[in-house]
Amino acid sequence: MASLPHCLSARPLVVAAAPGRPGPGLRGGARRRNAAVSAGNAGRRVGLRRSVASAVEVRVGEDEEGVEEEEEEEVEAVVMPERYALGGACRVLAGMPAPLGATALDGGVNFAVYSAGASAASLCLFTPDDLEAGEVTEEVPLDPLFNRTGNVWHVFIEGELHNMLYGYRFDGMFAPHCGQYFDVSNVVVDPYAKAVISRGEYGVPGPGGDCWPQMAGLIPLPYSTFDWQGDLPLRYPQKDLVIYEMHLRGFTKHSSSNVEHPGTYIGAISKLDYLKELGVNCVELMPCHEFNELEYFSCSSKMNFWGYSTINFFSPMIRYSSGGIRNCGRDAINEFKTFVREAHKRGIEVIMDVVFNHTAEGNEKGPILSFRGIDNSTYYMLAPKGEFYNYSGCGNTFNCNHPVVREFIVDCLRYWVTEMHVDGFRFDLASIMTRGCSLWDPVNVYGSPVEGDMTTTGTPLATPPLIDMISNDPILGDVKLIAEAWDAGGLYQVGQFPHWKIWSEWNGKYRDIVRQFIKGTDGFAGGFAECLCGSPHLYQAGGRKPWHSINFVCAHDGFTLADLVTYNKKYNSSNGEDNRDGENHNLSWNCGEEGEFAGLSVKRLRKRQMRNFFVSLMVSQGVPMFYMGDEYGHTKGGNNNTYCHDHYVNYFRWDKKEESSDLQRFCSLMTKFRKQCESLGLADFPTAQRLHWHGHQPGKPDWSETSRFVAFSMKDETKGEIYVAFNASHLPAVVGLPERPGYRWEPLVDTGKPAPYDFLTDDLPDRAHAVHLFSHFLNSNLYPMLSYSSIILELQPDD
């Protein structure tokens, strides 16, 4: 809790009418109980000075008779004709311009918000009941003389504001062609609000079926009641991570999860032990910032399930909590903290997927919720006539490299690290954060064009100020920073994202190459070998390491692992866009028949292929990441863009996990095998001192265009040496193994074998017999491989 600065207690403020036209009621007929008398503007005309204001105060609840008379000449204090509903203990003071947001101090709360273009502003206070009714409880006009410093509006409310909510009303020019959207009829959400309150129940509209009811921010308390129980960051070296991308709601929403609070932070905690058993030590949460799952609902039955449409970047998604809007959102904050704390107890880090590339306000036809109504031209990337640049593909583009916006983003990241204890961030469409902002113009900077300078709004910058700030921030320097290094405007930076040797990347090239090699496409043997080594062709020259590559075959966006081997085409008709949405270039193969209903031989091949993909992921240098449900073969029926479905297609099927326990067992054993092998999570790229390539014969790799076989042996400090081979041909092969005098090769993994013999654990009852069946091959340093299969062998002393 911070102390009340002396300047606040020494400079009380006269409450006056906001300049400009009086605002109409809040949408839905909200009232303005504290509308100032029209004499307010007259008070300004006679010249209220800061020195005058410092000697005058208005106690909330007093009538005009209670106002101390000012002795200076002809100065008339402007007072409120009505009593405040907040009670006599509250009074309004000038406040401070920093920090931004609502800050609890000794004796009250300081409010500060940036808006350069507004001509007038007022603080709107709500009780929860009034918010539900769409009515402002109290409105405090902010005087531009006393409540504005630079471009920051501020006010201090002295007194008790417990269980109150707040927003702002801004007046100014409404001129979309100039990029301005000030509208005094809207009460907008503070970008720095720590919780956003509107609807309390997921998927349920507000009163009257309103999908966009009035929203307001949580007013913080001067203390925290949450018990972290000594929680500290795990600080795993990134090379040691196994990342599990998951949707918080989808993880436990299905009835088969059998948790008390399905689809919530608390519900997910109940299943963290499963993730630990799976071998996962890091979860990457799909968006958990406040968004509106009903943003499409008024014009269709679609839901915004994924959440890539942020309303507020400081607030956790309130409707992911079992408490909803109870306690003004504080319970939701504490539930998220509890999830992080309990994940850390189980040795699992938490990375958040953050969407600083656009917001839910969309293009010029979108709603005015927060940023647009506060200062549209600051927060969004605009063309000269006010049009929204759309590098996100979602209607607007966050103006990330504007000085105010980049400070906002850094403040937000710091908050989630220091207050919420998250361990890192994955930045959606991160290439947008490297583009020049709307101010990036020589005429704007220097007053005249600069010869040869072609930098304009949206130009990719070699050293983006935002990335520089994040990379060198003293608080963020120890967290994981992962870029999705492309955007919807065609900028693709995989291997070239500005990194300061800190940023890692979702390696989309890894995904594409591995998919093509494993399904047997010619010409990818060499590229596949590069992927196995951590993609040095992308990262080594720039001074980065294998762990800067986040390796993945499937993610939330695209086919699931099961669908990747089941469908040649996408089936997205249920999205309501005539199958036009979603990626057409999936690099999938249905293994001979389209769809789930296929012959036995095709289904067996699909099982092998899913295991082959998982083996490649776990034996590659870099950081493996797989998507929720892929470990049991979750299917979305060929839909590769399920952003809008809140049902079983996006839910983790705990019942299916039990039915597909063979695949889940294999994936769990592979993640644990990776952790056991020192050589599979190297801090640097492997060299010929420990890595040797092989073909069908040892020491003779085949890098030709028609090669579909890649094998390598790797010296390992814990295993001695391992041999890994991939046969992506439609033909079986008998491969020669490297000679190791005094040692023998023993099979561990063979995806061509049925479960449980696909992974020979020590506790397998007939393990010795299974190995003995291949002794005649192994005694000759040979091993038979089925078509489309992969193997792992371990070197053992020859007894």
Side-chain angles (χ1 to χ4, degrees):
M1 179 177 72
S3 297
L4 175 64
H6 176 71
C7 63
L8 286 181
S9 58
R11 191 187 299 172
L13 172 70
V14 173
V15 179
R21 64 183 185 276
L26 193 63
R27 54 183 125 140
R31 64 187 184 276
R32 298 181 65 190
R33 287 189 196 157
N34 63 330
V37 293
S38 58
N41 287 330
R44 290 195 182 83
R45 285 195 295 272
V46 298
L48 277 175
R49 298 189 300 272
R50 188 176 294 269
S51 59
V52 175
S54 65
V56 182
E57 70 178 39
V58 177
R59 292 189 180 274
V60 176
E62 291 182 347
D63 293 324
E64 294 185 29
E65 298 81 28
V67 180
E68 181 181 334
E69 293 185 3
E70 174 56 48
E71 296 180 358
E72 292 195 21
E73 57 181 3
E74 296 183 19
V75 176
E76 183 179 328
V78 181
V79 299
M80 309 302 298
E82 301 181 46
R83 294 179 177 272
Y84 279 98
L86 299 176
C90 291
R91 62 176 181 170
V92 180
L93 308 177
M96 301 182 300
L100 294 175
T103 306
L105 303 170
D106 279 348
V109 179
N110 190 76
F111 298 87
V113 61
Y114 165 91
S115 180
S119 60
S122 59
L123 172 69
C124 299
L125 301 173
F126 300 85
T127 64
D129 288 342
D130 280 351
L131 178 67
E132 185 176 359
E135 298 182 347
V136 175
T137 305
E138 297 289 354
E139 186 158 348
V140 182
L142 306 185
D143 192 293
L145 291 177
F146 314 123
N147 296 108
R148 182 168 181 168
T149 303
N151 292 325
V152 178
W153 300 80
H154 47 80
V155 66
F156 185 86
I157 305 296
E158 185 181 88
E160 178 61 63
L161 294 178
H162 186 62
N163 288 332
M164 293 294 291
L165 305 166
Y166 77 105
Y168 291 102
R169 197 190 300 275
F170 290 96
D171 201 359
M173 182 170 62
F174 187 91
H177 64 282
C178 297
Q180 301 290 3
Y181 284 81
F182 294 107
D183 185 349
V184 76
S185 68
N186 286 291
V187 176
V188 295
V189 174
D190 181 4
Y192 279 80
K194 303 308 186 291
V196 175
I197 306 303
S198 60
R199 297 176 295 104
E201 187 176 350
Y202 188 98
V204 178
D210 190 358
C211 294
W212 289 100
Q214 179 62 48
M215 293 178 286
L218 161 72
I219 296 179
L221 298 175
Y223 54 86
S224 173
T225 59
F226 186 76
D227 182 6
W228 279 106
Q229 299 177 4
D231 178 69
L232 292 171
L234 296 174
R235 293 194 175 95
Y236 291 139
Q238 189 157 312
K239 68 181 183 65
D240 295 335
L241 295 185
V242 175
I243 300 176
Y244 189 81
E245 188 191 21
M246 61 176 279
H247 189 281
L248 196 287
R249 175 175 170 84
F251 190 49
T252 60
K253 183 57 181 175
H254 195 265
S255 59
S256 62
S257 69
N258 294 320
V259 300
E260 184 176 355
H261 299 288
T264 67
Y265 303 118
I266 295 299
I269 291 172
S270 305
K271 297 296 186 179
L272 287 174
D273 288 333
Y274 162 74
L275 295 181
K276 182 178 180 180
E277 179 61 27
L278 185 59
V280 168
N281 62 4
C282 178
V283 292
E284 184 178 295
L285 298 178
M286 291 174 65
C288 286
H289 288 150
E290 184 67 22
F291 66 92
N292 184 2
E293 74 280 7
L294 295 179
E295 68 172 287
Y296 317 128
F297 202 74
S298 59
C299 57
S300 72
S301 60
K302 297 194 296 186
M303 302 278 279
N304 175 9
F305 183 77
W306 283 353
Y308 289 92
S309 192
T310 309
I311 291 172
N312 182 277
F313 294 97
F314 279 86
S315 171
M317 177 58 171
I318 296 297
R319 290 170 299 285
Y320 281 175
S321 71
S322 63
I325 60 175
R326 189 178 60 219
N327 198 16
C328 294
R330 295 183 184 89
D331 288 0
I333 293 174
N334 287 342
E335 279 194 27
F336 184 92
K337 290 179 177 180
T338 303
F339 174 84
V340 175
R341 184 190 70 197
E342 295 305 307
H344 286 174
K345 285 182 180 180
R346 291 160 175 81
I348 299 173
E349 291 191 334
V350 178
I351 290 176
M352 292 189 68
D353 193 340
V354 292
V355 192
F356 289 112
N357 58 76
H358 76 285
T359 76
E361 291 181 303
N363 59 19
E364 66 279 358
K365 297 179 181 179
I368 298 174
L369 305 172
S370 180
F371 303 97
R372 175 170 296 158
I374 292 173
D375 206 308
N376 183 75
S377 61
T378 291
Y379 285 107
Y380 295 112
M381 200 180 290
L382 303 178
K385 293 185 178 180
E387 304 97 329
F388 289 88
Y389 281 95
N390 190 19
Y391 294 117
S392 68
C394 297
N396 64 52
T397 303
F398 215 46
N399 205 17
C400 294
N401 282 299
H402 186 287
V404 170
V405 182
R406 65 178 183 254
E407 183 177 355
F408 164 78
I409 292 173
V410 170
D411 287 346
C412 182
L413 298 177
R414 285 177 170 180
Y415 172 81
W416 285 95
V417 170
T418 58
E419 182 65 24
M420 309 296 265
H421 288 206
V422 302
D423 302 283
F425 306 93
R426 178 264 187 187
F427 294 81
D428 183 65
L429 299 184
S431 289
I432 282 176
M433 302 195 304
T434 71
R435 293 184 180 271
C437 71
S438 296
L439 291 179
W440 202 278
D441 183 334
V443 176
N444 199 33
V445 177
Y446 302 108
S448 62
V450 176
E451 185 176 354
D453 190 334
M454 302 300 292
T455 302
T456 60
T457 300
T459 299
L461 307 175
T463 55
L466 173 61
I467 306 301
D468 188 355
M469 282 184 68
I470 294 173
S471 303
N472 295 289
D473 186 82
I475 293 175
L476 302 177
D478 197 30
V479 302
K480 278 74 176 179
L481 302 173
I482 303 171
E484 183 184 37
W486 55 83
D487 66 22
L491 185 56
Y492 192 80
Q493 297 176 306
V494 172
Q496 299 176 319
F497 191 85
H499 55 80
W500 277 264
K501 296 184 180 180
I502 294 175
W503 289 76
S504 53
E505 300 170 3
W506 264 29
N507 191 345
K509 293 184 178 180
Y510 176 98
R511 172 199 59 203
D512 296 345
I513 292 172
V514 170
R515 285 187 179 191
Q516 291 181 92
F517 176 79
I518 293 296
K519 74 187 183 78
T521 305
D522 285 342
F524 288 94
F528 181 67
E530 291 270 15
C531 291
L532 293 173
C533 291
S535 301
H537 62 301
L538 297 176
Y539 301 111
Q540 193 167 33
R544 285 191 280 181
K545 305 299 181 183
W547 49 268
H548 286 106
S549 173
I550 307 299
N551 301 328
F552 67 103
V553 175
C554 299
H556 70 274
D557 194 2
F559 280 150
T560 65
L561 185 60
D563 289 351
L564 186 67
V565 300
T566 305
Y567 299 95
N568 285 350
K569 300 182 296 182
K570 65 181 183 182
Y571 294 88
N572 295 3
S573 297
S574 61
N575 297 353
E577 300 179 44
D578 296 325
N579 208 39
R580 295 188 303 268
D581 64 306
E583 178 61 58
N584 293 314
H585 191 60
N586 294 289
L587 303 175
S588 60
W589 179 44
N590 62 18
C591 297
E593 296 181 41
E594 186 77 354
E596 291 189 58
F597 300 102
L600 185 59
S601 61
V602 170
K603 289 185 176 181
R604 287 173 176 167
L605 176 54
R606 289 173 179 174
K607 289 182 178 181
R608 293 207 301 275
Q609 288 291 74
M610 284 192 285
R611 286 164 170 78
N612 292 337
F613 280 121
F614 210 84
V615 170
S616 67
L617 196 58
M618 291 300 154
V619 301
S620 296
Q621 300 299 323
V623 179
M625 182 190 80
F626 60 102
Y627 178 61
M628 176 183 84
D630 279 349
E631 71 271 24
Y632 69 80
H634 182 79
T635 178
K636 296 182 179 181
N639 191 329
N640 68 359
N641 191 31
T642 59
Y643 70 98
C644 56
H645 299 291
D646 182 33
H647 56 62
Y648 66 90
V649 74
N650 277 320
Y651 295 168
F652 190 100
R653 294 291 301 272
W654 296 92
D655 51 344
K656 297 293 184 182
K657 179 187 77 69
E658 297 303 322
E659 294 174 10
S660 306
S661 59
D662 289 347
L663 179 59
Q664 191 269 332
R665 168 188 176 271
F666 180 86
C667 293
S668 178
L669 291 171
M670 278 303 307
T671 59
K672 293 172 183 176
F673 172 76
R674 177 184 174 86
K675 291 180 179 180
Q676 293 168 1
C677 293
E678 165 271 339
S679 62
L680 297 182
L682 297 177
D684 210 338
F685 297 100
T687 65
Q689 292 181 326
R690 68 155 73 205
L691 173 66
H692 300 278
W693 296 105
H694 309 289
H696 289 108
Q697 296 301 318
K700 297 180 180 179
D702 181 2
W703 306 123
S704 68
E705 282 293 304
T706 58
S707 174
R708 298 184 183 182
F709 184 88
V710 172
F712 67 90
S713 57
M714 178 83 81
K715 293 180 180 177
D716 187 271
E717 292 182 359
T718 57
K719 298 288 186 179
E721 190 171 4
I722 60 174
Y723 175 90
V724 182
F726 295 87
N727 180 24
S729 171
H730 62 287
L731 299 174
V734 177
V735 300
L737 305 175
E739 294 277 356
R740 297 292 185 261
Y743 294 87
R744 58 183 170 80
W745 291 105
E746 188 168 291
L748 177 69
V749 173
D750 187 342
T751 63
K753 300 290 186 292
Y757 305 106
D758 51 355
F759 198 114
L760 298 177
T761 57
D762 290 338
D763 59 353
L764 198 64
D766 50 355
R767 183 184 190 281
H769 178 68
V771 173
H772 179 72
L773 292 175
F774 290 88
S775 60
H776 56 298
F777 282 102
L778 295 171
N779 290 338
S780 301
N781 264 350
L782 299 172
Y783 193 88
M785 292 187 69
L786 204 59
S787 62
Y788 301 107
S789 69
S790 52
I791 61 171
I792 300 176
L793 285 70
E794 294 180 314
L795 196 64
Q796 301 288 348
D798 191 353
D799 298 330

